[in-house]
């Protein structure tokens, strides 16, 4: 998870790693036109599905720290998630 309030740190997130992380959080993804991707998540068939749109970075295919934090803030607003809900697997 990308923590919006954390102090700045250098680094980039490869787009494929971002897609993998979203799939691990039970999102489905659909590539739309251009660089647009739609992500949708619903636990069961009766859940309300919220979709969110992100743009794939180009030409280098890596999210900057600024972009990753922006995505984190949007996910936090939509789902109420925070960084304490996530841990790194060994």
């Amino acid at each position: 998870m990308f923590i919006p309030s954390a102090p700045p740190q250098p680094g980039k997130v490869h787009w494929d790693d971002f897609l993998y992380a979203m799939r691990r959080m039970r999102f489905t993804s659909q590539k739309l036109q251009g660089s647009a991707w739609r992500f949708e998540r619903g636990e069961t068939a009766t859940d309300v599905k919220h979709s969110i749109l992100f743009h794939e970075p180009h030409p280098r295919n890596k999210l900057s720290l600024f972009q990753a934090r922006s995505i984190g803030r949007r996910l936090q607003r939509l789902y109420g998630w925070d960084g304490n809900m996530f841990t790194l697997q060994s």
Side-chain angles (χ1 to χ4, degrees), residues 15 19 29-39 52-56:
W15 183 251
L19 291 176
S29 61
Q30 178 184 12
K31 180 154 176 57
L32 305 174
Q33 292 183 334
S35 64
W37 285 74
R38 178 183 16 227
F39 296 88
I52 190 165
L53 185 75
F54 295 121
H55 286 270
E56 182 176 354

Side-chain angles (χ1 to χ4, degrees), residues 52-71:
I52 190 165
L53 185 75
F54 295 121
H55 286 270
E56 182 176 354
H58 51 80
R60 292 204 168 92
N61 208 25
K62 291 187 178 181
L63 294 165
S64 68
L65 182 62
F66 175 78
Q67 291 169 311
R69 286 204 173 143
S70 175
I71 288 171

Side-chain angles (χ1 to χ4, degrees), residues 18 77 90:
F18 174 72
R77 281 194 301 270
S90 302

